[in-house]
């Protein structure tokens, strides 16, 4: 996934480094104040970020954590595990990191979302597909959208139980509505295909 870097921004006399969007996402997860391992961050991103942004891989998370530690936005330490497994490294946001992510959330330009919709691209190339295949593609997309809607619905209730996750729960609600719309759009498109096929059948019969 290609990311654009936000330009360095001034904070008083200091200039903050330019960071990719994934850095801000990882730092944002840490901004809730908990000390988290890379595994924890991956789990959190799978349960939240993936609904509206994307969920970075483990290697990307650790790469961003290294970057953030190098610029002083997070600090880390090794902790022993009670299970007897090897020690793990946990990360916590620094005061400088909290100031930076707060400034980014407040001041970064609002970028419009970029729509990369594979199913729409396939439909655009519908003249190359059989009608049944196109309906199969739309049907699979409908199933995916409904599955994501249900998962977001469950996660909304989980997030609501944590006071600190008030705003993430709102975003999850947005995600639930988004996937509801995607499901309904797939249904509408299937109906549009039926209507188009019906018109073609009538013109052919004439």
């Amino acid at each position: 996934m290609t990311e654009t870097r936000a330009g360095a921004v001034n904070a008083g006399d200091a200039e903050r480094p330019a960071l990719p969007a994934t850095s801000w996402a990882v730092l944002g997860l840490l901004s809730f104040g908990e000390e988290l391992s890379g595994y924890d961050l991956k789990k959190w991103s799978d349960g939240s970020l993936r609904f509206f942004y994307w969920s970075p891989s483990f290697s990307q998370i650790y790469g961003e954590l290294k970057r953030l530690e190098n610029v002083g936005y997070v600090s880390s330490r090794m902790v022993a595990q009670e299970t007897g497994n090897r020690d793990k490294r946990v990360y916590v946001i620094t005061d400088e990191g909290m100031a930076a992510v707060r400034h980014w959330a407040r001041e970064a330009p609002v970028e419009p979302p970029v729509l990369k919709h594979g199913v729409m691209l396939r439909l655009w190339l519908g003249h190359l597909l059989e009608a049944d295949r196109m309906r199969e593609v739309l049907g699979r997309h409908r199933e995916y959208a409904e599955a994501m809607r249900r998962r977001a619905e469950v996660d909304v209730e989980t997030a609501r139980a944590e006071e600190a996750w008030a705003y993430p729960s709102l975003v999850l609600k947005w995600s639930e509505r988004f996937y509801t719309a995607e499901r309904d759009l797939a249904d509408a498109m299937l109906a549009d295909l039926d209507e188009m096929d019906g018109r073609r059948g009538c013109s052919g019969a004439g």
Side-chain angles (χ1 to χ4, degrees):
M1 178 175 178
T2 301
E3 292 183 275
T4 57
R5 291 174 180 263
V9 292
N10 291 327
D13 296 327
E15 186 179 73
R16 294 195 175 99
L19 296 174
T22 301
S23 285
W24 296 116
V26 172
L27 196 61
L29 289 170
L30 288 167
S31 73
F32 290 92
E34 294 193 35
E35 196 174 42
L36 301 171
S37 67
Y39 174 83
D40 296 328
L41 287 163
K42 175 61 176 171
K43 184 177 178 180
W44 279 32
S45 65
D46 284 349
S48 181
L49 293 179
R50 76 184 184 101
F51 286 104
F52 58 90
Y53 184 64
W54 72 308
S55 182
S57 65
F58 278 109
S59 62
Q60 289 167 325
I61 286 174
Y62 284 112
E64 296 305 332
L65 287 170
K66 182 177 180 180
R67 187 201 309 271
L68 292 167
E69 192 164 23
N70 286 340
V71 299
Y73 288 173
V74 304
S75 62
S76 68
R77 67 186 181 94
M78 299 296 294
V79 297
Q81 298 198 70
E82 297 178 358
T83 58
N85 294 334
R86 66 177 184 173
D87 295 352
K88 68 176 181 178
R89 184 173 295 276
V90 294
Y91 298 81
V92 66
I93 193 168
T94 63
D95 291 343
E96 185 179 359
M98 185 69 80
V101 72
R102 180 179 287 114
H103 185 276
W104 179 84
R106 287 175 173 172
E107 306 297 338
V110 178
E111 299 178 353
V114 177
L115 182 61
K116 295 176 62 177
H117 202 301
V119 176
M120 291 176 70
L121 181 60
R122 297 276 286 275
L123 182 61
W124 184 69
L125 295 171
H127 62 288
L128 304 178
L129 300 177
E130 298 81 9
D132 288 347
R133 178 56 180 155
M134 190 67 257
R135 286 181 173 81
E136 181 182 353
V137 169
L138 285 166
R140 289 183 179 180
H141 178 62
R142 188 198 186 283
E143 291 173 1
Y144 165 78
E146 175 61 10
M148 291 292 284
R149 184 200 67 78
R150 290 177 178 175
R151 176 63 188 274
E153 184 180 36
V154 170
D155 287 358
V156 165
E157 296 305 317
T158 302
R160 281 177 176 168
E162 297 289 338
E163 184 177 352
W165 282 78
Y167 290 104
S169 71
L170 289 180
V171 176
L172 286 168
K173 187 66 178 178
W174 185 342
S175 300
E176 180 189 349
R177 291 167 178 157
F178 171 83
Y179 287 109
T180 298
E182 280 292 295
R183 179 200 64 193
D184 294 345
L185 285 168
D187 285 337
M189 190 57 58
L190 285 165
D192 289 342
L193 286 175
D194 289 341
E195 181 181 352
M196 184 174 67
D197 290 345
R199 290 199 304 268
R200 287 177 174 175
C202 290
S203 62

